[in-house]
Each structure stands twice: as C-alpha cells, then as structure tokens.
Amino acid sequence: MTNTAQVPPSGGRAAPPEHLSHVIFITAAAAMGGFLFGYDSSVINGAVEAIRSRYDIGSAALAQVIAIALIGCAIGAATAGRIADRIGRIRCMRISAALFTVSAVGSALPFDIYDLAVWRIIGGFAIGMASVIGPAYIAEVSPAAYRGRLGSFQQAAIVIGIAVSQLVNFGILQLANGDQRGKLLGLEAWQWMLGVMVVPALLYGLLSFAIPESPRYLLSVGRVDRAREVLAEVESKDVDLDARVAEIEHAMHREHKSTFKDLKGSRFYFLPIVWVGIGLSMFQQLVGINVAFYYSATLWQSVGINPSSSFFYSFTTSIVNIIGTVIAMVLVDKVGRKPLALVGSSGMAIALAFEAWAFSAPLVNGRLPSTEGTVALVAAHVFVLFFALSWGVIVWVFLGEMFPNKIRAAALGVAASAQWIANWAITASFPSLADWNLSGTYVIYTCFAVLSIPFVLLFVKETKGKTLEEMG
C-alpha cells in the first residue's frame, strides 16, 4: 500500500482514520486498566469504617492500611516502563490484570489486618503498572490529531471505575440493610465490596488479547511488517505508511532503551522536563482529590450525615466526576492542555476555600449547621467538577506525550511514581489531620491549588497537536 500524503511534521491535522471505531475500541480496551485503577482506588471508601470496627484499630493505623496500597502503586509505576520496553505493552497489561484478580480475591478473604495490607500492596502494584502502561500505549497507537481525546479515555475510565465502585458499594450496603458488616452469603458486606473487582479484572485480561501491540514496541524488536499493519489500522488512509515507519524508526535510532540514568541533568539531579512531569503529578494529588474518593463516606458521617446518605453523596460526586471528564475530553484538543489546567486550578482553589470555611463551623448535635453543611456539599461537588475537567485529564495526557522519545518510558515511570507517593502522603495523613483540624486540612489543599497556577504558567509547555517525535 503506497499513499502519497504524509502527516505533516508540524503535527497538522490529518483526515480521520478509516476505522475510527476500531481505534476507539483499542483505546477503550487499553483504558480498562484505568477503570480498574479507579475502581480499586475508590472501592475501599465503602469498607473503611467496617475495617476499623472489625480489627479495632485507630485512625493512624487505619490510614496506613488504606494508604499502603499506594506504596505498591509507586513501585509498579516506577518499574512498569522498563518492563514494557522489555516484554511489550500488552504483556504488561496481562500481568496487571492477573495481579488485580489475585488482589481482589485476597482482599475479600483476609485472615487478619496484616494479610489485608499485603493484598492491598499487590493490588497497588497492579494499579501502578496500569497507570503507566495505559497512557503510554494509548499515546503510541493514537493519530496525533486525535491523541488528546483518545488519551482522555484513561481518565474517563478511571472516573467511571470510581463511580461504578461507589454504585456497587451502595447496592451491597442496601442488600446488607445499611450495615457495612452485615452478612451476605457468609461474608460481610465490605468483603463483597472488595471482591467484586474480580469481574472487571478478568475482563481487562480478556480484552488484552483483542488489541494489537504498540507499533513503536514492534519496531523496536524488528517486527516491521506487523508494525506497518497496526499503523494501517489506526492512522488515516492518507498517511504514507512507509514514511510513518521511517519517521518512527529514525526517532528510535537516535535513542536507546530508556533508563533512570538518562533522566539525570546537570542540576537538581533530574532533567528539567522530568521535574515538570513530577510537579504535574504531585500537584494533581496535593490538592486532596483522593480524600473525596477514599474517605468521603467517612468524612460526611463525621459531620453528622447517616451512612446511607454518605454513600449516596459519594456516588453523586462520582457522577460529577464523569461529567467533568467528558467536558475535558471535548475541550482538550480544541482549547489545549494549559488553559484547562489554569481554569481547573482556579476553580479548585475557590471550591476548597469554601470547604475550609464550612468545616470551620462548630458542630451542633454532631452535625454541621444547615448553611455550612449545604456549602460543604456544594463546594465538594464543585471541587470535583473543576478537577475532572482539568487536572484529572490533562495530567495523564501530558505524561503520555510531553517527554522526548529517548526518555519517555523511564520519565513517565518516575512521574507516575511521584504521583503515587504524593497520593500516599495525602491518604495517610488525612485521618490524623482531620482529627487535628478539618478546616485547616482544607486550607492546606487550597494552598496547593493556588500554587499550581504559577507552576503551569512558568514551567509547563503546551503539547497540543504535536507528534510524539516532535517532543525532543
């Protein structure tokens, strides 16, 4: 097949791929790792108080059990890029799916609190792998003109996973008559909440057999004909496949397998672009977004809302998360990454400030006063909306495309690992900080949202419309 038109080096828009629906299927299948990422991250929300009760542990110990999965996430994220360069993206997905499955079964049937912690670490390792492989694979199979929207599938899958986990938790809680420790077929309700993840984990593994390997990986191992076939599946019919293969090979010949040594710079240990990736990853977590998904049920119960209502508000927050993500998917290639980030930072800062004000009110009969309670609920939903339409999506898009080919896999691993470390810090500290001063905790998150604005303005470069080979 010989076509005469070639994708412009500057990243100009090409015609849609002949089989756009097939490209979307490939992307959605790869993003199932993101679904599991979101599901596993959020499902623990429904089990927090039950775990506290069953094992009779305090806030600090409980926080460590909840947050320990994030240590596995950091390790999985840090190693996934190198593993993917050695054995391929698809095999990494299968390993991740297997670990998700094992973790779900083990977490549902723990012998004691330490056993539960081990299974959560294993699940965390799987999440870390998925957080790296998903964006990298999607970026590598997506046509440049559609890469932002297709890259957004990862975050869309994450937020859908969060929403589904909250809906499943709510449904199981209703079957157990509102008791997180209520018995269902011999197991407590919270055990079912953690065990149901077996279903999407198995689906992820099966879908990995239905999608092609990344053309960049195929070329790296000498499978040129197969790489050309995959490019024919995902690129526009107007693209010169021979020229596209040559373009990728030329970029690859200028590089070698990325390692952590390649990330070192002359100052401050890492190259500046790596620090930008680390900064994006950390700001995404330091605004406290995962408090809304790990602890929201516990948070609302602590200010006087009954368990069933707290689970319902957790679910509505997840729906808002989906709406915001859809908005970002529509705008990311039209408006660009930086403008969305700046709008999101501003909106989050305002919403977090209102939450801080609301939680500063003294409780009356164990509840927030009516006005402050309403403001807290509305502000929490607004915060999630602005996060979802900005940082929730654009950070994954940035990390999948901002690094030069020479260091992409290793840099993405380091940035994602930093994200999990920041996530762990927020998750592990929230119960103790909330016991100290809930309003003060939200002031801290507000400060990070404000600081993210000059960070984006000064250090982040727009990547809209550029091919991966131009990120040099």
Side-chain angles (χ1 to χ4, degrees):
M1 177 178 180
T2 57
N3 297 316
T4 57
Q6 182 181 353
V7 175
S10 60
R13 287 190 176 275
E18 290 181 271
H19 306 292
L20 183 58
S21 60
H22 180 59
V23 177
I24 292 172
F25 170 77
I26 292 172
T27 303
M32 268 300 296
F35 178 93
L36 284 164
F37 170 179
Y39 193 101
D40 188 77
S41 296
S42 182
V43 71
I44 196 68
N45 188 15
V48 171
E49 292 306 309
I51 292 171
R52 186 201 301 268
S53 170
R54 175 161 175 170
Y55 298 109
D56 191 25
I57 56 177
S59 293
L62 177 67
Q64 294 307 315
V65 174
I66 304 305
I68 199 168
L70 302 174
I71 302 300
C73 290
I75 298 170
T79 58
R82 297 182 70 183
I83 294 172
D85 281 344
R86 290 179 180 274
I87 67 173
R89 283 55 165 155
I90 299 298
R91 286 175 181 163
C92 271
M93 292 180 191
R94 293 169 188 165
I95 291 171
S96 178
L99 292 176
F100 271 122
T101 303
V102 170
S103 172
V105 174
S107 296
L109 303 170
F111 298 114
D112 54 35
I113 192 66
Y114 302 104
D115 185 48
L116 176 61
V118 170
W119 294 118
R120 284 190 54 72
I121 291 174
I122 293 172
F125 188 89
I127 293 176
M129 290 187 70
S131 73
V132 171
I133 298 306
Y137 175 86
I138 292 170
E140 290 177 351
V141 299
S142 300
Y146 290 83
R147 197 176 58 242
R149 277 165 284 183
L150 294 174
S152 301
F153 273 49
Q154 173 78 357
Q155 181 64 17
I158 292 172
V159 299
I160 291 171
I162 291 171
V164 170
S165 74
Q166 301 291 4
L167 182 60
V168 170
N169 284 356
F170 182 74
I172 292 173
L173 187 70
Q174 299 312 302
L175 292 174
N177 298 315
D179 184 1
Q180 292 170 313
R181 296 197 60 191
K183 291 285 188 176
L184 292 172
L185 301 177
L187 298 177
E188 294 183 3
W190 70 272
Q191 293 176 276
W192 282 106
M193 292 176 187
L194 300 183
V196 167
M197 195 178 70
V198 165
V199 176
L202 291 174
L203 179 60
Y204 181 39
L206 291 173
L207 284 172
S208 71
F209 288 92
I211 59 178
E213 182 55 86
S214 158
R216 284 173 177 77
Y217 173 74
L218 292 170
L219 288 173
S220 74
V221 294
R223 298 178 61 187
V224 179
D225 290 340
R226 178 56 184 153
R228 187 180 286 106
E229 291 174 3
V230 175
L231 287 169
E233 293 179 32
V234 300
E235 294 281 5
S236 164
K237 63 182 179 180
D238 297 324
V239 170
D240 184 333
L241 295 179
D242 291 332
R244 190 75 182 97
V245 168
E247 179 186 13
I248 297 171
E249 286 185 323
H250 178 68
M252 291 172 60
H253 287 158
R254 299 198 309 258
E255 63 189 63
H256 58 281
K257 296 290 185 182
S258 58
T259 68
F260 296 127
K261 291 181 180 179
D262 298 318
L263 308 183
K264 291 183 178 180
S266 58
R267 299 176 62 190
F268 307 115
Y269 192 77
F270 287 129
L271 294 167
I273 189 65
V274 178
W275 280 116
V276 173
I278 290 171
L280 285 167
S281 290
M282 294 188 70
F283 273 117
Q284 189 195 52
Q285 298 303 315
L286 293 175
V287 295
I289 185 60
N290 278 313
V291 167
F293 300 121
Y294 293 154
Y295 294 114
S296 59
T298 297
L299 174 64
W300 297 126
Q301 289 174 52
S302 74
V303 293
I305 294 175
N306 66 60
S308 290
S309 295
S310 70
F311 272 60
F312 176 73
Y313 291 135
S314 295
F315 175 64
T316 58
T317 301
S318 300
I319 297 301
V320 170
N321 199 13
I322 293 175
I323 293 170
T325 301
V326 172
I327 294 172
M329 292 175 70
V330 171
L331 297 179
V332 67
D333 279 325
K334 295 180 179 178
V335 175
R337 287 66 158 147
K338 283 187 68 171
L340 281 182
L342 294 170
V343 169
S345 293
S346 302
M348 288 190 295
I350 294 170
L352 286 166
F354 272 105
E355 284 195 82
W357 172 81
F359 288 131
S360 69
L363 299 182
V364 178
N365 296 323
R367 297 178 64 91
L368 281 175
S370 178
T371 299
E372 285 82 354
T374 300
V375 169
L377 280 171
V378 172
H381 286 72
V382 171
F383 165 60
V384 170
L385 176 65
F386 274 95
F387 175 86
L389 64 80
S390 60
W391 284 77
V393 167
I394 61 97
V395 169
W396 293 111
V397 175
F398 266 130
L399 294 184
E401 64 186 16
M402 68 183 289
F403 301 114
N405 278 335
K406 179 179 179 180
I407 64 169
R408 180 170 294 117
L412 182 53
V414 168
S417 182
Q419 183 176 118
W420 291 117
I421 292 170
N423 192 339
W424 171 82
I426 293 297
T427 304
S429 64
F430 177 75
S432 297
L433 285 173
D435 287 346
W436 160 68
N437 189 316
L438 185 57
S439 177
T441 302
Y442 275 85
V443 169
I444 293 171
Y445 301 154
T446 302
C447 290
F448 281 119
V450 171
L451 288 172
S452 69
I453 295 174
F455 175 80
V456 171
L457 287 172
L458 295 174
F459 301 113
V460 178
K461 295 181 180 179
E462 182 62 75
T463 57
K464 171 187 170 185
K466 296 183 179 179
T467 68
L468 295 184
E469 285 65 43
E470 290 181 85
M471 305 298 178

